[in-house]
């Protein structure tokens, strides 16, 4: 009998999925956000790259099975400026997942958190600019 193997980096993989969802929401949001939407997209792309590097680092350094059975969740959305707030929810979830992941990712996890924080700041500014 064969069993499916658990994901080797569940929080990092969930964070990447949240970042990709946030990116998709921002890509369809109205563009008139004072440049903050575009900056947030740049930070999200950088965060995704760091998450990928962190996953690769952990795999290469035999940290793949740490924390695989932990449970994670996503926050609910908000009706105001739906794409921007959905992106903010996904970024918040990504940040939670990154902070819950094991820290030994060659510094890439910490860099991804930094980019996510910057993206959150830009999305909040974009929401304020579009209000």
């Amino acid at each position: 009998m064969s069993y499916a193997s658990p994901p080797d980096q569940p929080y990092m993989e969930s964070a990447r999925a949240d970042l990709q969802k946030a990116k998709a929401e921002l890509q369809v949001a109205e563009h008139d956000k004072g440049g903050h939407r575009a900056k947030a997209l740049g930070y999200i792309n950088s965060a995704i790259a760091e998450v990928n590097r962190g996953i690769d680092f952990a795999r290469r350094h035999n940290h793949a099975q740490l924390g695989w059975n932990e449970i994670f969740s996503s926050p609910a959305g908000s009706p105001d400026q739906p794409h921007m707030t959905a992106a903010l929810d996904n970024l918040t979830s990504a940040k939670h997942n990154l902070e819950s992941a094991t820290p030994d990712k060659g510094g890439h996890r910490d860099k991804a958190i930094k980019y996510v924080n910057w993206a959150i700041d830009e999305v909040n500014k974009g929401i304020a600019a579009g209000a």
Side-chain angles (χ1 to χ4, degrees), residues 17-19 21-22 25 74-75 85-95:
D18 290 332
L19 289 166
K21 290 176 196 172
E25 291 292 345
S74 297
T85 55
L88 186 59
D89 289 342
N90 286 307
L91 286 166
T92 301
S93 182
K95 180 178 176 179

Side-chain angles (χ1 to χ4, degrees), residues 7 9-23 43-52 54-55 72-75 87-102 105 108-110 112-113 115-116:
Q9 297 289 319
Y11 287 116
M12 295 293 280
E13 291 172 7
S14 292
R16 180 174 53 203
D18 290 332
L19 289 166
Q20 290 166 338
K21 290 176 196 172
K23 179 179 176 178
Y43 292 139
I44 289 170
N45 287 332
S46 295
I48 290 169
E50 291 301 331
V51 168
N52 289 335
I55 289 170
F72 38 88
S73 63
S74 297
L88 186 59
D89 289 342
N90 286 307
L91 286 166
T92 301
S93 182
K95 180 178 176 179
H96 169 74
N97 283 313
L98 286 167
E99 291 173 342
S100 298
T102 56
K105 305 283 188 277
H108 300 292
R109 176 185 152 273
D110 291 337
I113 290 170
Y115 288 124
V116 169

Side-chain angles (χ1 to χ4, degrees), residues 114-131:
K114 178 175 66 172
Y115 288 124
V116 169
N117 283 332
W118 290 344
I120 287 170
D121 186 51
E122 292 299 330
V123 170
N124 280 323
K125 289 176 184 176
I127 289 170

